[in-house]
């Protein structure tokens, strides 16, 4: 058992899986979305389970990968095969009209999906760094329906929180009952622009329905063992949001290309909580289970 996680129940709140080359005959990749060669054979559900077992991780939230785009069949199969270990976060399709988007949401909610991912870059572009808003049309209708279904919405601000901040504020305003989760420290990297965006993220702490994933450490502009991430990002977030609104995620399989690997990420984030076992229980799994529901496996 991992020394730093002890007997704490660990849930990985953010990762992806996609079909292996052999599985892709049954679960094909989306056009132009073949996985990178370096990760093609290591990102299947079975490979993930090996990493989870080695690291004493009880459950995982699989975020629908772009490799399969809006075809959720591979993740559905993984959830049905291992319902005690996996839950899913579906990928919202902004091209669908409102009625079809809601129908897709409701259908997938019956197949093990407990959250929805909004990728703002899938909305039509309106400028060099602007897109049609998530907080209008079918996106807004889906966001509101998620409150009724108790399905959190995760937002991926890959190009920077500052580009989507006003849109997020509008979502929070029009449907405060919907839980909103920001991936990967809300992409507030350790740069001048990222630091300005980080202040925006801290401002969002006043909204009790906002949660943050402590995930993809390697995407923050620091290197292992991420001393600056700890001091300049994690500790201020812990102070602003509290451990009950933060959740650990590895960003498997991309973390496999990093020095810390899968298990090292789990241990590292756990170590940041020091002797505070109550906070560790929340960040390492308790928050994820509060937001997405309990997983079945006990490890």
């Amino acid at each position: 058992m991992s020394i730093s996680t002890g007997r704490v129940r660990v849930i990985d709140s953010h990762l992806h899986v996609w079909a292996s080359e052999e599985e892709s005959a049954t679960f094909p990749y989306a056009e132009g979305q073949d996985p990178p060669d370096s990760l093609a054979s290591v990102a299947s559900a079975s490979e993930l389970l090996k990493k989870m077992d080695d690291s004493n991780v009880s459950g995982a939230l699989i975020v629908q990968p772009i490799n399969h785009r809006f075809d959720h069949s591979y993740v559905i199969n993984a959830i049905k095969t291992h319902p005690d270990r996996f839950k899913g976060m579906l990928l919202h399709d902004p091209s669908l009209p409102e009625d079809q988007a809601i129908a897709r949401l409701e259908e997938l909610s019956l197949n093990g999906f407990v959250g929805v991912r909004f990728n703002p870059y899938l909305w039509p572009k309106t400028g060099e760094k602007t897109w049609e808003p998530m907080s209008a049309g079918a996106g807004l209708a889906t966001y509101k329906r998620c409150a009724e279904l108790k399905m959190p919405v995760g937002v991926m601000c890959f190009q920077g929180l500052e580009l989507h901040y006003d849109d997020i504020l509008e979502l929070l305003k029009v449907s405060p009952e919907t839980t909103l989760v920001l991936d990967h420290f809300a992409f507030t990297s350790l740069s001048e622009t990222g630091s300005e965006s980080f202040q925006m993220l801290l401002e969002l702490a006043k909204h009790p329905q906002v949660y943050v994933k402590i995930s993809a450490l390697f995407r923050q502009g620091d290197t292992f063992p991420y001393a600056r991430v700890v001091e300049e990002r994690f500790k201020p977030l812990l102070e602003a949001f509290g451990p009950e609104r933060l959740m650990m995620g590895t960003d498997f399989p991309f973390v496999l290309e990093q020095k810390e690997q899968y298990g090292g990420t789990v241990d590292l984030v756990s170590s940041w909580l020091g002797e505070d076992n109550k906070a560790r229980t929340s960040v390492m799994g308790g928050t994820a289970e509060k937001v997405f529901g309990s997983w079945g496996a006990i490890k």
Side-chain angles (χ1 to χ4, degrees):
M1 178 174 286
S2 168
I3 294 174
S4 60
T5 56
R7 296 185 62 82
V8 169
R9 179 167 159 86
V10 180
I11 302 295
D12 189 341
S13 75
H14 193 104
L15 51 78
H16 311 276
V17 295
W18 54 71
S20 65
E21 183 177 357
E22 180 180 357
E23 291 171 323
S24 67
T26 304
F27 303 102
Y29 309 124
E31 184 177 355
Q33 296 291 346
D34 286 17
D37 291 342
S38 60
L39 296 173
S41 64
V42 297
S44 67
S46 59
E47 290 296 321
L48 169 61
L49 281 171
K50 293 176 186 177
K51 298 296 184 184
M52 291 171 62
D53 289 342
D54 288 345
S55 303
N56 297 289
V57 174
S58 293
L61 181 72
I62 301 174
V63 180
Q64 172 71 8
I66 198 65
N67 310 82
H68 293 289
R69 207 162 174 86
F70 304 116
D71 179 357
H72 292 74
S73 58
Y74 184 71
V75 176
I76 289 174
N77 183 68
I79 295 169
K80 287 185 175 180
T81 305
H82 304 282
D84 58 338
R85 307 298 297 278
F86 295 148
K87 296 176 184 287
M89 175 171 272
L90 68 93
L91 181 61
H92 172 71
D93 182 354
S95 72
L96 294 178
E98 180 178 325
D99 58 341
Q100 292 182 32
I102 297 298
R104 171 71 62 85
L105 169 69
E106 293 173 348
E107 175 190 359
L108 290 174
S109 73
L110 300 176
N111 283 277
F113 287 83
V114 295
V116 179
R117 185 178 225 195
F118 275 14
N119 178 344
Y121 314 107
L122 296 176
W123 268 260
K125 290 195 75 170
T126 57
E128 183 178 353
K129 284 196 172 184
T130 58
W131 296 262
E132 289 187 5
M134 299 176 285
S135 57
L140 178 57
T142 298
Y143 190 79
K144 288 182 174 180
R145 182 67 176 126
C146 283
E148 298 169 344
L149 295 173
K150 300 189 184 306
M151 296 177 70
V153 174
V155 179
M156 184 189 74
C157 303
F158 190 79
Q159 296 186 33
L161 174 63
E162 70 280 1
L163 299 177
H164 311 288
Y165 190 68
D166 290 341
D167 201 9
I168 288 170
L169 288 179
E170 185 64 18
L171 287 171
L172 296 173
K173 175 184 176 182
V174 297
S175 185
E177 299 83 11
T178 305
T179 296
L180 187 143
V181 183
L182 293 165
D183 300 343
H184 308 336
F185 297 81
F187 290 91
T188 54
S189 64
L190 292 163
S191 64
E192 183 176 349
T193 301
S195 293
E196 293 173 358
S197 295
F198 187 64
Q199 296 307 310
M200 297 178 177
L201 176 57
L202 294 179
E203 281 292 312
L204 292 178
K206 65 186 179 184
H207 299 278
Q209 71 270 40
V210 176
Y211 292 74
V212 181
K213 289 183 179 180
I214 306 302
S215 54
L217 312 181
F218 53 90
R219 298 187 189 275
Q220 308 312 312
D222 197 7
T223 56
F224 182 84
Y226 305 108
R228 287 188 63 197
V229 171
V230 178
E231 294 300 322
E232 299 177 38
R233 294 294 182 265
F234 179 69
K235 288 184 178 179
L237 286 172
L238 192 63
E239 176 68 22
F241 285 84
E244 66 280 356
R245 291 165 63 195
L246 303 179
M247 60 186 88
M248 183 279 303
T250 63
D251 203 20
F252 174 94
F254 303 103
V255 72
L256 300 181
E257 298 184 309
Q258 309 303 316
K259 182 177 180 178
E260 61 271 21
Q261 293 282 302
Y262 186 87
T265 299
V266 175
D267 287 347
L268 187 60
V269 175
S270 180
S271 73
W272 292 350
L273 281 308
E275 300 300 318
D276 192 340
N277 286 326
K278 183 177 179 180
R280 179 176 292 104
T281 296
S282 291
V283 175
M284 299 307 295
T287 300
E289 293 202 288
K290 178 179 73 171
V291 171
F292 298 109
S294 297
W295 272 255
I298 302 295
K299 291 185 68 67

